[in-house]
Amino acid sequence: MVESEVPAVSFTNVHRHFGMVRAVDGVSFDIVDGEFFSILGPSGSGKTTCLRLIAGFDQPTAGRIMIHGQTTRGVPPYERDVNTVFQDYALFPHMTVMDNVAYGLMVKKVAKADQRRRALEMLEMVKLADMGGRKPAQLSGGQRQRVALARALINRPRVLLLDEPLGALDLKLRQQMQIELKALQRQVGITFIYVTHDQEEALIMSDRIAVFNVGRIEQIGTPGEIYERPATAFVAGFVGVSNLLTGEIAARITGSNTAFSVRPEKIRLAEPGNPAPEGSCTAEGEIHNVVYLGAASRYVVALDGGGELIVIEQNLNKSAAQVAASLGQRVRLAWDRRHNQPLADGEPGP
Ligand code: ADP
Ligand code: MG
């Protein structure tokens, strides 16, 4: 194996049990060096526990964790080439922004002039070069999170762990920081392991995503694979709107009673009885709910004979009034059957 093929972090059948609770329950994955890797799952699915195991704040009950090909057994946190950014920033309130950022170098007894130079470089990187003299309380939430990032990166760790770092920010700022974080990760080329419960955030930023559910991995893949080819009902429901059809209803539409999901933007609305193109699946029903979203509208269609599908359609020609008037109308749905994603057994996500 050449150097670059050694995974940045590798889990082999890792368990972490707390009494009866299997916080991490037999997890295996390899994270590629330089990758933006997200751990996505609902609250309590074991995400933070995985990060703590990598950082060395906690030890596995069983299994093996390697960092850059080296065993982590018996290696304390400060000897691992890893740093962590938490949701609550954990900045020192009495210290200036500059001193907060330089802290890691001060601990290592790096010369004062070098501390300042490198801290300033970091502050420039996170666009806070003119804020070095302020105290954390004089910054906005987004600025504080940037300081936390600069502080975590100053020691040039090879792996950065981020535990829901944008969770405390409002939506607009979070969206802006998502783009900035991704750009920053490309720029520094460090492996990012990013924990979030926000599916959109994971889709936007990640090279690959591991979807967690009660301590286990349901699927690992690129954002496109996770969204377009969810492996389980849980993934289909947790990442996006699932439109899950099972049993008799599935059989009526596809000819097979295998459960499947189809994404709402793949489905087209038309008048009942309208012929559909070759290779389509079709179903008829009634619009039971409609929400005008500005650029698009979201329709809930109750299918004849049971089940419902959500359809998202761009408002190309329809006005808000026309969209609202469609409530209660009968429609025919059609979609390319290649968009059907058969699902393994499992419970749908929330
Ligand atoms: P997440 O970060 O995905 O929300 P966690 O990794 O924090 O989930 O927790 C996973 C599960 O392990 C939860 O059921 C949680 O209550 C449990 N857990 C985590 N840490 C401890 C601990 N120190 N003692 C007991 N149970 C814990
Ligand atoms: Mg957590």
Side-chain angles (χ1 to χ4, degrees), residues 46-94:
K47 307 182 298 294
T48 294
T49 304
C50 281
L51 281 201
R52 289 174 51 81
L53 293 171
I54 299 168
F57 303 138
D58 195 5
Q59 307 305 320
T61 311
R64 196 182 66 176
I65 299 174
M66 310 275 276
I67 299 179
H68 294 115
Q70 307 284 316
T71 180
T72 57
R73 193 182 296 275
V75 180
Y78 57 86
E79 281 178 16
R80 300 186 183 196
D81 207 350
V82 163
N83 220 335
T84 309
V85 177
F86 301 97
Q87 177 177 337
D88 58 5
Y89 325 127
L91 299 177
F92 301 116
H94 58 285

Side-chain angles (χ1 to χ4, degrees), residues 11 16 18 22-25 27 29 37-55 58 84 87 161-165 193-199 201-202 209-217 234 238:
F11 272 43
R16 177 61 170 112
F18 299 100
R22 293 167 169 243
V24 178
D25 190 16
V27 162
F29 57 74
F37 188 90
S38 289
I39 296 178
L40 171 67
S43 176
S45 58
K47 307 182 298 294
T48 294
T49 304
C50 281
L51 281 201
R52 289 174 51 81
L53 293 171
I54 299 168
D58 195 5
T84 309
Q87 177 177 337
L161 310 176
L162 302 104
D163 196 352
E164 315 231 11
I193 307 178
Y194 191 94
V195 159
T196 181
H197 66 271
D198 181 335
Q199 46 114 357
E201 191 160 284
I209 301 169
V211 183
F212 271 61
N213 182 24
V214 286
R216 292 165 181 260
I217 293 181
F234 178 85
F238 192 69

Side-chain angles (χ1 to χ4, degrees), residues 276-281 335-338:
E278 186 85 7
S280 297
C281 284
W335 64 94
D336 189 326
R337 61 171 61 247
R338 285 173 301 187

Side-chain angles (χ1 to χ4, degrees), residues 99-131:
D99 288 345
N100 263 284
V101 173
Y103 183 78
L105 300 179
M106 195 190 81
V107 171
K108 284 191 171 173
K109 303 207 169 17
V110 171
K112 258 252 143 38
D114 286 341
Q115 283 183 32
R116 282 195 67 82
R117 184 180 49 78
R118 277 172 61 186
L120 195 59
E121 263 173 36
M122 285 295 134
L123 285 173
E124 270 163 12
M125 192 173 71
V126 298
K127 301 182 196 132
L128 288 176
D130 48 349
M131 306 247 169

Side-chain angles (χ1 to χ4, degrees), residues 87-330:
Q87 177 177 337
D88 58 5
Y89 325 127
L91 299 177
F92 301 116
H94 58 285
M95 282 167 41
T96 63
V97 164
M98 175 72 92
D99 288 345
N100 263 284
V101 173
Y103 183 78
L105 300 179
M106 195 190 81
V107 171
K108 284 191 171 173
K109 303 207 169 17
V110 171
K112 258 252 143 38
D114 286 341
Q115 283 183 32
R116 282 195 67 82
R117 184 180 49 78
R118 277 172 61 186
L120 195 59
E121 263 173 36
M122 285 295 134
L123 285 173
E124 270 163 12
M125 192 173 71
V126 298
K127 301 182 196 132
L128 288 176
D130 48 349
M131 306 247 169
R134 292 201 191 180
K135 297 277 174 65
Q138 297 168 303
L139 300 178
S140 71
Q143 290 168 336
R144 265 180 246 167
Q145 193 51 278
R146 289 202 190 102
V147 176
L149 261 176
R151 189 178 59 171
L153 286 170
I154 198 161
N155 279 331
R156 302 184 187 129
R158 284 180 73 188
V159 177
L160 190 66
L161 310 176
L162 302 104
D163 196 352
E164 315 231 11
L166 308 183
L169 307 180
D170 65 46
L171 180 65
K172 269 255 163 74
L173 194 54
R174 206 158 70 225
Q175 288 172 335
Q176 184 192 333
M177 286 291 289
Q178 287 165 3
I179 312 262
E180 283 184 21
L181 257 182
K182 176 73 195 163
L184 184 71
Q185 188 265 342
R186 286 231 176 91
Q187 185 190 335
V188 294
I190 290 173
T191 307
F192 274 32
I193 307 178
Y194 191 94
V195 159
T196 181
H197 66 271
D198 181 335
Q199 46 114 357
E200 198 176 288
E201 191 160 284
L203 290 175
I204 288 171
M205 295 199 286
S206 315
D207 294 317
R208 284 191 308 151
I209 301 169
V211 183
F212 271 61
N213 182 24
V214 286
R216 292 165 181 260
I217 293 181
E218 296 264 333
Q219 186 174 4
I220 299 184
T222 63
E225 285 163 357
I226 297 283
Y227 185 77
E228 289 174 6
R229 296 285 169 226
T232 65
F234 178 85
V235 176
F238 192 69
V239 183
V241 172
S242 74
N243 274 340
L244 189 68
L245 293 177
T246 59
E248 264 178 50
I249 304 157
R252 219 174 46 240
I253 294 173
T254 65
S256 145
N257 63 1
T258 306
F260 73 95
S261 78
V262 57
R263 295 301 188 185
E265 70 278 9
K266 306 295 189 197
I267 305 173
R268 289 173 187 283
L269 291 170
E271 308 264 306
N274 228 3
E278 186 85 7
S280 297
C281 284
T282 61
E284 296 205 356
E286 191 178 301
I287 297 178
H288 269 200
N289 190 290
V290 55
V291 182
Y292 176 75
L293 302 167
S297 295
R298 183 176 180 275
Y299 303 83
V300 180
V301 179
L303 304 182
D304 298 347
E308 68 176 34
L309 285 173
I310 293 171
V311 180
I312 292 177
E313 189 186 67
Q314 278 192 38
N315 295 325
L316 278 175
N317 303 310
K318 283 184 194 158
S319 68
Q322 284 169 320
V323 169
S326 67
L327 186 63
Q329 279 178 6
R330 290 197 52 77

